[in-house]
């Protein structure tokens, strides 16, 4: 079975500092996508960043970057220059590439608090 | 571009009652998903539609949950009768195809008393 594990239930960081959220996953597939989604309190889930497994280069989106280690099945998210608006639940998610099913398998999430 | 719309945003019902949720995906998105998110957990897929056909409903409790996607656009998710453990946020998501990024709606927060 495919699983996603986020080992840090809660984290906090000071504004303007850098924080890294961890994620590991388990799959026997070779082609897949990995995502980080952000869910602010009482607000909807939005995509932060996406990584295709066949790409060796780590994805970056402004202050957000990932460290994708395919052999170790690790996919961490680094947030640089943290802002108060980054306070949210962060979910790591996985989906297979190909086939007819594209559902996301989510981890349990990491609650990030950015402190002023 | 309008996002995924869901209604109602909140619903409180008593156990054994029925409830229905509505979702309107992003225009042109062929794939629609319903997820259940219990407090403190990540979302879990209930059902996936490709156009108006069901692709995956293996985790849908079919004795009480049903879903349909009319004309391959809007979708409704129904629970009848509701149980206490159905209290959760029900998220609708859509994507242009497979595998693509999924875009989520604001969710419907259900409380079963």
């Amino acid at each position: 079975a495919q699983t996603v594990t986020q080992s840090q239930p809660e984290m906090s960081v000071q504004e303007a500092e850098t924080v890294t959220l961890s994620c590991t996953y388990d799959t026997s597939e070779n082609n897949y996508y990995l995502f980080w989604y952000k869910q602010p309190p009482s607000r909807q889930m939005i995509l932060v960043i996406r990584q295709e497994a066949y790409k060796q280069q780590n994805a970056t989106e402004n202050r957000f970057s990932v460290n994708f280690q395919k052999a170790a099945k690790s996919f961490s998210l680094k947030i640089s220059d943290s802002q108060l608006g980054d306070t949210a639940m962060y979910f790591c998610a996985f989906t297979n590439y190909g086939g007819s099913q594209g559902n996301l398998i989510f981890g349990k999430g990491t609650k990030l608090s950015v402190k002023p | 571009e309008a996002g995924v719309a869901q209604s109602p945003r909140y619903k409180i019902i008593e156990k054994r009652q029925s409830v229905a949720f509505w979702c309107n995906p992003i225009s042109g998105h062929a794939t629609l998903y319903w997820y259940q998110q219990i407090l403190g957990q990540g979302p879990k897929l209930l059902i996936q539609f490709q156009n108006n056909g069901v692709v995956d409903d293996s985790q849908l409790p079919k004795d009480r949950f049903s879903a349909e996607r009319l004309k391959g656009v809007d979708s409704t998710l129904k629970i009848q009768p509701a149980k206490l453990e159905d209290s959760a946020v029900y998220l609708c998501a859509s994507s242009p195809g497979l595998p693509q990024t999924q875009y989520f709606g604001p969710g419907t927060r259900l409380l079963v008393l």
Side-chain angles (χ1 to χ4, degrees):
Chain A
Q2 293 155 339
T3 58
V4 176
T5 302
Q6 293 179 250
S7 58
Q8 305 151 316
E10 292 192 41
M11 294 190 72
S12 65
V13 63
Q14 292 295 128
E15 196 175 7
E17 293 189 346
T18 295
V19 64
T20 298
L21 309 184
S22 300
C23 173
T24 58
Y25 58 94
D26 188 23
T27 181
S28 58
E29 301 292 332
N30 192 46
N31 294 320
Y32 48 87
Y33 288 77
L34 294 161
F35 303 84
W36 279 98
Y37 278 89
K38 167 185 176 181
Q39 190 175 40
S42 300
R43 294 179 63 185
Q44 68 192 80
M45 196 168 308
I46 57 174
L47 178 70
V48 174
I49 200 164
R50 156 180 155 157
Q51 175 79 44
E52 291 86 346
Y54 62 86
K55 290 186 177 179
Q56 293 186 336
Q57 187 173 7
N58 288 325
T60 62
E61 286 289 343
N62 301 314
R63 298 183 294 108
F64 299 88
S65 62
V66 298
N67 183 3
F68 173 47
Q69 301 289 329
K70 191 173 183 180
K73 296 180 181 175
S74 171
F75 183 62
S76 60
L77 174 70
K78 184 172 84 171
I79 306 174
S80 304
D81 186 26
S82 297
Q83 300 176 0
L84 296 178
D86 295 333
T87 293
M89 283 291 289
Y90 285 81
F91 291 96
C92 179
F94 165 102
T95 189
N96 278 328
Y97 180 93
S100 61
Q101 295 179 333
N103 61 295
L104 291 168
I105 298 169
F106 286 87
K108 290 188 175 181
T110 295
K111 183 178 181 180
L112 178 66
S113 299
V114 180
K115 301 184 184 305
Chain B
E1 179 181 82
V4 177
Q6 289 188 249
S7 67
R9 293 294 308 276
Y10 304 93
K11 191 75 176 178
I12 301 175
I13 62 173
E14 295 188 349
K15 61 182 179 182
R16 291 188 291 274
Q17 286 187 325
S18 62
V19 65
F21 312 130
W22 174 83
C23 172
N24 180 243
I26 293 172
S27 178
H29 281 196
T31 312
L32 185 148
Y33 308 82
W34 284 102
Y35 290 87
Q36 180 191 58
Q37 186 178 18
I38 293 173
L39 186 65
Q41 299 183 19
K44 182 187 79 172
L45 180 74
L46 291 174
I47 190 167
Q48 175 189 341
F49 292 93
Q50 181 73 14
N51 296 308
N52 61 354
V54 175
V55 174
D56 182 2
D57 63 357
S58 58
Q59 299 188 81
L60 187 74
K62 298 181 187 63
D63 58 334
R64 298 184 300 107
F65 286 65
S66 63
E68 61 180 2
R69 189 177 184 193
L70 303 174
K71 300 179 180 178
V73 182
D74 292 6
S75 178
T76 56
L77 176 69
K78 296 178 182 178
I79 308 175
Q80 183 179 11
K83 291 185 175 181
L84 296 177
E85 59 260 37
D86 297 332
S87 294
V89 176
Y90 291 85
L91 297 169
C92 180
S94 70
S95 67
L98 297 170
Q100 295 283 354
T101 298
Q102 295 182 26
Y103 298 87
F104 285 82
T108 295
R109 189 175 298 274
L110 174 67
L111 179 60
V112 182
L113 301 176

